[in-house]
């Protein structure tokens, strides 16, 4: 059995991980960063930006696990 896992992959309620029109300038397509709004409010995100503030609820707890035991990031052909 492999050690592969899918971790921290945000999808919309209707099952999409990106919007139409993916491009270098718009890596998440027309949906932009709306799929990740949950994370932008967390203390984890604020700390990554070098600022203070942010929520510390369940979203923060999940976001702090972002890089835990990750050796490589492999995404689809459209990433950047």
């Amino acid at each position: 059995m492999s050690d592969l896992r899918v971790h921290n992959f945000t999808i919309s309620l209707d099952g999409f991980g990106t919007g139409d029109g993916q491009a270098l300038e718009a890596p998440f397509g027309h949906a932009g960063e709306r799929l990740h709004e949950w994370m932008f409010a967390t203390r984890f995100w604020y700390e990554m930006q070098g600022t203070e503030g942010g929520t510390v609820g369940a979203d923060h707890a999940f976001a702090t696990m972002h890089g835990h035991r990750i050796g490589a990031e492999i995404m689809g052909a459209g990433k950047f």
Side-chain angles (χ1 to χ4, degrees):
M1 185 181 288
S2 72
D3 289 334
L4 175 68
R5 69 179 178 183
V6 176
H7 185 82
N8 289 350
F9 185 72
T10 301
I11 61 170
S12 65
L13 291 176
D14 54 355
F16 288 89
T18 65
D20 288 334
Q22 225 181 345
L24 183 62
E25 301 79 28
F28 295 104
H30 80 283
E33 297 176 343
R34 288 185 303 192
L35 287 172
H36 302 95
E37 286 178 353
W38 66 270
M39 183 180 65
F40 299 145
T42 65
R43 181 169 293 171
F44 169 79
W45 182 260
Y46 277 68
E47 289 173 352
M48 282 184 52
Q49 305 305 309
T51 59
E52 294 183 8
T55 62
V56 291
D59 289 341
H60 168 72
F62 182 77
T64 60
M65 297 299 293
H66 176 265
H68 181 69
R69 299 186 65 192
I70 301 294
E73 179 182 334
I74 302 169
M75 297 284 289
K79 182 173 181 180
F80 306 99

